[in-house]
Amino acid sequence: MLPSISAGIWRGAQHILRTSRVAPRRTGLCTCAGIPGELCDAGTIFALSSGHGRCGVAVVRVSGPASTTALRCMAGLTHSLLTPRTALLRSITDPQSKEVLDRGLVLWFPGPHSFTGEDSAEFHIHGGPAVITAVLQALGSLPGMRPAEAGEFTRRAFHAGKLGLTEVEGLGDLIHAETEAQRRQALRQMCGDLGRLYQDWTSRLKRCLAHVEAFIDFSEDELIEDGVLNQVDTSVCDLQAEMERHLKDERRGERLRSGVQVVIAGATNAGKSSLLNTLCQRPAAIVSPIAGTTRDVVETALDIGGFPAVLSDTAGLRDSPDLVEREGVRRARERVEQADLTLVVVDCAQLPSDAQQAPAFLQGHLSSILPTQERSQTERCLLVLNKTDLVSEEWRQQLETELRRSSGLPPVCLISCQTNEGLQDFLAALHSSIKALCGDPLSGAPSLTQARHRAHLQQCVAALSQYHRYRDTDLALAAEGVRLALTSLGRITGRVGAEEILDIIFKDFCIGK
Amino acid sequence: RGRGRGRGGVDVRVRCGPISDHLARHKYDVIVVGGGHAGTEAAAAAARVGAETLLVTQKIHTIGALSCNPSLGGVGKGHLVKEVDALDGLCGRAGDWAGIHFSILNRRKGPAVWGPRAQLDRELYRQFIQSELLSTPRLTVLEGSVEELLLTEPDPEEPGHHRVTGIRLANGSQPVSASSVVLTTGTFLSGSLFMGQTTSPGGRIGDAPSSAGLSHTLRERLGLRVGRLRTGTPPRIVKDSVDFSLASLHAPDKQPTPFSFLNTHTRCKPEEQLPCYLTHTTPGVEKVVRESLHLNCHIQQDTKGPRYCPSIESRVLRFPGRRHQVWLEPEGLTSDLLYPQGLSMTMPPDVQLCLIREIPPLHRLFFFCMHRSEMCYGVQYDFVCPTQLSPALQVKSTQGLFLAGQINGTTGYEEAAAQGLWAGVNAGRWALSMPPVALSRTESYIGVLIDDLVSRGVTEPYRMFTSRAEFRTSLRPDNADLRLTLKGFEEVGCVSSLRYQEAVRVRDSLQDALAALQSLVLPTSSWKKILGDVGISETKNSILNGMDLLQYNNVSFEMLASAFPERFSPHLEFSQRLEIEAIYRPHCDLQRKEMERIQREESLSLPPDMDYLSLPVSLSQEVREILDRVRPSTLGAATRLQGMTPAAVVQLLSYVHQTGKKERRSHRNQLDQKGREEDGCTRNVVLPQ
């Protein structure tokens, strides 16, 4: 078995080698172009750069000065063993526990002859989520390493003058897509207990920083109560202890299902639950002609053409006086917000009788369902017109003609869950959408987000120790530690600006002119 | 330049009479309107960069007057004073001349946040500024009131865009023309004064209100957005009536530290310094405020005030049941008045007296102790929303018009002085056809101040805090000269060669000393033998250099110098700076990458007339609207805008990158053409010889 896997890995490596050679060297660019974005600071970054789904091999990329450290600590490649651009079969071990995580190929690309122009490394490992997570976490535990931000590899390549202008134009879209995927992934994780925990830490840390800053900026002129700093001391200790405990806790909290998140949404009685049942070929959800039958989210894991997907059926969207149903609608909207792909189900019989008006009607309908920032992204939505068995053949053909003519609508499928008419076409469309989404390593992989969070939390804890180190000798440097900690945590929960800190200061202390 | 000469008693009016005919016909490079902290720094800076400058002010006598508190510096503000001084401005040296109580605030909190501060003698400060302006070459001072700003008709190609051509004075005389005008009118733009229920027009008690013409021009002709802010002052208190036994004494530093990098000592001798006193409000104060609310129209109009508490009324209303501090500060060596910092209020005079007498040391105060001009009053005034300015503090839509000080929504002498200096520098450069210069947030508090103003705007009077500077550990009061003086001479042209040579000497000596420290590498055991028990940890086989050693609390540079006199004693002059450098160096190194990134982004300028709404790149409508509203001048400023996405920044970058080359080429052509025209005139004169 091993030889065949190695062959697979080898093909992956060659592919990467080829693409990295193709990237043109345009050093002229870097003289006048700065790196954009706020996270291009120094340091070594890593990320999973292959997609997920049915893949035997996963590629983890590392770029930055500590790449050789990663190769030494995790693949045992000391300086004398490093050979540029050559694939070596090595045991990949955890740098702390020395436990063998996997056997795979490792490659070293010394700068400037690499995709990013920096020293880079690649780990080609087995594609299982456990192995990927273990390798990513091992990388994150090395000093100077952090998970890459959206598009950061490409940005570094751009900065090193490795990209042509046309590629740079595409970079904006790429970063947009990646940040969107990360945002959705984070949303999925942040709405639960974990999210509340991180938010609580952030607000406590903000308060700590505000109080240290108030003490620095105002205590000489204004009456800042004694003991403000003592409270901060306690809070910082508590936070550090809580984060460390959290990092050690082997229970990772609620296990998030891996796979592309597909959400079925639409008005009541459009046939959403029927669609779910049709797709999973069993009655997973209760179906009835009564509007508002589905009230909670019904979730099923599915394999669609070899790609993992989590299909969620949601309550029909309508204003309801019923408390339980209202909660169901709120959850439905939340799911749509977090979805990688939304199937908007519409009852054909509810469309305007004049087929010419259908596109405009559907457009309006979509904007009432999809969150604002996604209305323009038609590739993340499929429009399912259900119950074709209830309309006349003639009207249906008119409708199809009109839909072909109109632009700006997502792909449309006409089906009948009752008669299974059009189901094959719909499955093909669904398959191609999911396949496209799976090419993006960020969609549907909660372990990646967890690895990111872990690395940021570790940095946060480390920065807080700077507070204690300088607390009594240099408060400016102590505050710097809290600031850095907040920046690290802010990469999970959102950036905190100076004005927010001032808001807290002015709220908690009486500061004069 | 007569530094260190005796001054005082210089009668400026001798040199600067009312407008004469030859003045009116004269064309100036720069006209500065207003003689406060912003105006004086602006006029002096414009003259320093080489521009023929005219300073117009309502009363020459009040040039350099401290119209509010008699103090300079503090935490954050002291940083600004050091930076203004590093760029050869006036206020640092004026503070050293006029200071009567020096202290470094935050002494125990780390050198990055030390706040040099001084109580000032109002009279001495005014005298210094006035005599300094008089001895500044290329600077003329004129008493008068500006009636109108002269502008070209709007460019038909760019509607709403004007160019400034000069000013017209109120006495109806001929216009005075200039290439640049700096407005530093403080609280006088549609200012009104409040006391109790009475309201009168004006920007400061005792001064005539400035003409409505200027305000009208800014709003109506230039279409600038203005907002309204307010401020106030406390009353002055007669020293003799204060019961000092009920207040606690605050002594100054035993050895005064001068603000200026050029001064080794202050005019005031250590033992001549005057003390301050600290006292607190009582529940009686709160009672008076609550009972007089109906008589207080300034407070009644409190719709959405600032987040901080500008007056004693807002303090007790927002934080009831607490004690609030009141500082009693000396007004001068010979003044019989005290300034009660923290007692700004706007109630009717009789209520003011009731309130003051609720404060224990002030219980003996009688009404006749206070003159009208020494009562509290509030001021409401217009400010120009500063997002309409470029980082050079020029109004984006009006070439040659610069604004500085409270007119931009800031509060405080130091904030005004810093903007004044920078506006003056750029006004001078504009008039002399030199490109504008900007200071980055990564190199100075002045850069932070200006960037915050022009890219974020203000909703309350803007005041400097150290927490606003993200690179606080690098932007320290001690190294302002290294950060700014060299650049100020080499790139900006606002620093005298005398100061520059001193800064170069300091830089070179510090470099030598740091190199000497780093090259002295010894094993821990040897260090212990030499220095004794200074807390060096017991780690075996470790070696440390001199810089490492200085990071220990118990090790001073003097100790190293006495152990290795031949190496270190030549650098004893800089002991303190070296110790600070040793502690902060590792942290600054960590920040450097991030600073470099910001500087790179700030070097990519976005054209001011960019049509964001129809720019042919993929940007969301939201981002387009943000960009269109704020019109950031560099990619760096755009990145910091709220609501910008990393993707949008990349799109802008690639767009700017493509158009950048074209723009630069056409700009160079324009400059060449301008240069040729001017050269042409000179050549016509020269050729016949």
Side-chain angles (χ1 to χ4, degrees), chain A residues 169-190:
Chain A
E169 277 159 27
L171 180 59
D173 295 331
L174 173 79
I175 293 175
H176 180 68
E178 285 191 28
T179 35
E180 273 298 296
Q182 275 188 6
R183 187 187 62 78
R184 287 194 307 275
Q185 184 61 252
L187 263 180
R188 287 201 276 269
Q189 307 218 328
M190 297 297 288

Side-chain angles (χ1 to χ4, degrees), chain B residues 27-310:
Chain B
K27 178 183 183 326
Y28 289 91
D29 292 323
V30 177
I31 295 174
V32 178
V33 182
H37 296 269
T40 50
E41 293 289 355
R48 283 202 304 279
V49 296
E52 276 300 324
T53 306
L54 176 70
L55 173 67
V56 184
T57 177
Q58 282 193 348
K59 281 188 201 163
I60 283 175
H61 176 69
T62 57
I63 287 180
L66 303 162
S67 40
C68 204
N69 51 314
S71 62
L72 186 75
V75 181
K77 288 166 175 277
H79 290 69
L80 286 173
V81 175
K82 296 292 274 191
E83 292 186 356
V84 168
D85 181 69
L87 290 166
D88 227 352
L90 312 173
C91 68
R93 284 179 291 121
D96 291 341
W97 177 258
I100 51 175
H101 170 122
F102 289 84
S103 61
I104 291 196
L105 307 185
N106 275 350
R107 179 76 86 168
R108 299 211 311 275
K109 293 176 201 153
V113 294
W114 282 355
R117 187 177 190 276
Q119 296 299 141
L120 305 174
D121 181 300
R122 290 179 188 276
E123 197 51 31
L124 289 174
Y125 193 87
R126 205 171 51 81
Q127 283 170 4
F128 183 95
I129 294 285
Q130 291 184 2
S131 80
E132 189 71 20
L133 289 184
L134 269 186
S135 60
T136 302
R138 295 182 290 275
L139 178 62
T140 312
V141 183
L142 175 70
E143 195 165 273
S145 188
V146 175
E147 175 65 40
E148 199 191 345
L149 207 54
L150 301 176
L151 302 161
T152 56
E153 285 308 309
D155 186 341
E157 304 248 310
E158 290 176 279
H161 284 237
H162 296 261
R163 188 162 55 80
V164 114
T165 58
I167 54 164
R168 191 191 304 280
L169 291 159
N171 56 8
S173 59
Q174 289 172 344
V176 189
S177 59
S179 307
S180 329
V181 172
V182 187
L183 293 183
T184 66
T185 50
T187 57
F188 281 79
L189 210 59
S190 307
S192 39
L193 304 174
F194 288 78
M195 192 191 288
Q197 289 173 303
T198 60
T199 306
S200 54
R204 179 168 56 201
I205 271 197
D207 285 327
S210 70
S211 91
L214 206 54
S215 192
H216 176 84
T217 311
L218 294 180
R219 268 202 308 247
E220 306 302 328
R221 279 201 69 192
L222 298 180
L224 294 177
R225 269 177 291 122
V226 300
R228 205 142 172 87
L229 288 176
R230 38 180 233 201
T231 182
T233 74
R236 310 297 189 262
I237 284 163
V238 174
K239 221 187 256 181
D240 291 344
S241 66
V242 177
D243 184 350
F244 288 108
S245 68
L246 297 174
S248 54
L249 181 129
H250 271 247
D253 287 353
K254 286 205 173 62
Q255 188 57 50
T257 312
F259 288 105
S260 176
F261 287 99
L262 293 180
N263 288 336
T264 51
H265 57 274
T266 59
R267 189 201 50 81
C268 189
K269 292 194 180 71
E271 65 280 10
E272 287 170 356
Q273 297 184 92
L274 298 179
C276 291
Y277 295 87
L278 176 63
T279 179
H280 293 91
T281 60
T282 58
V285 169
E286 200 169 320
K287 191 158 164 272
V288 174
V289 169
R290 292 194 182 278
E291 283 170 0
S292 66
L293 272 185
H294 62 287
L295 300 171
N296 196 333
C297 65
H298 198 52
I299 278 298
Q300 279 165 4
Q301 290 177 356
D302 189 2
T303 44
K304 57 170 205 275
R307 292 172 297 178
Y308 57 86
C309 302

Side-chain angles (χ1 to χ4, degrees), chain A residues 29 35 37 169 213 215-217 219-222 225 470 473-475 480 483 499 503 511-513, chain B residues 106 109 232 307 309 315 322 325 327 465-469 472 553 584 587 591 597 601 657-658:
Chain A
L29 262 177
I35 355 169
E169 277 159 27
E213 295 291 8
F215 195 75
I216 289 176
D217 269 333
S219 68
E220 298 270 348
D221 277 334
E222 312 284 350
E225 294 80 354
Y470 290 106
T473 54
D474 194 308
L475 210 53
E480 192 71 18
R483 279 196 199 195
E499 282 301 308
D503 277 340
I511 307 294
K513 188 166 77 144
Chain B
N106 275 350
K109 293 176 201 153
R307 292 172 297 178
C309 302
R315 285 181 165 228
R322 290 201 200 178
Q325 290 189 151
W327 290 93
F465 310 121
T466 66
S467 58
R468 295 190 192 271
R472 179 165 64 190
N553 284 335
Y584 283 94
H587 300 273
Q591 290 186 340
R597 177 184 69 73
E601 285 177 357
H657 182 69
Q658 283 169 54

Side-chain angles (χ1 to χ4, degrees), chain A residues 425-440:
Chain A
D425 290 345
F426 166 64
L427 281 177
L430 183 62
H431 180 239
S432 73
S433 292
I434 290 183
K435 189 177 166 188
L437 284 166
C438 274
D440 174 356

Side-chain angles (χ1 to χ4, degrees), chain A residues 20 24 40-41 84-86 94 135 151 176 209 221 244 304 309 321 332 335 361 381 384 410 484 492 495 497:
Chain A
S20 61
C40 293
D41 44 6
R85 295 175 295 280
T86 306
D94 185 290
V135 170
H176 180 68
L209 181 58
D221 277 334
E244 272 165 3
I304 293 180
R335 278 303 168 108
F361 173 86
C381 175
V384 184
L484 289 172
I492 305 176
R495 190 165 70 158

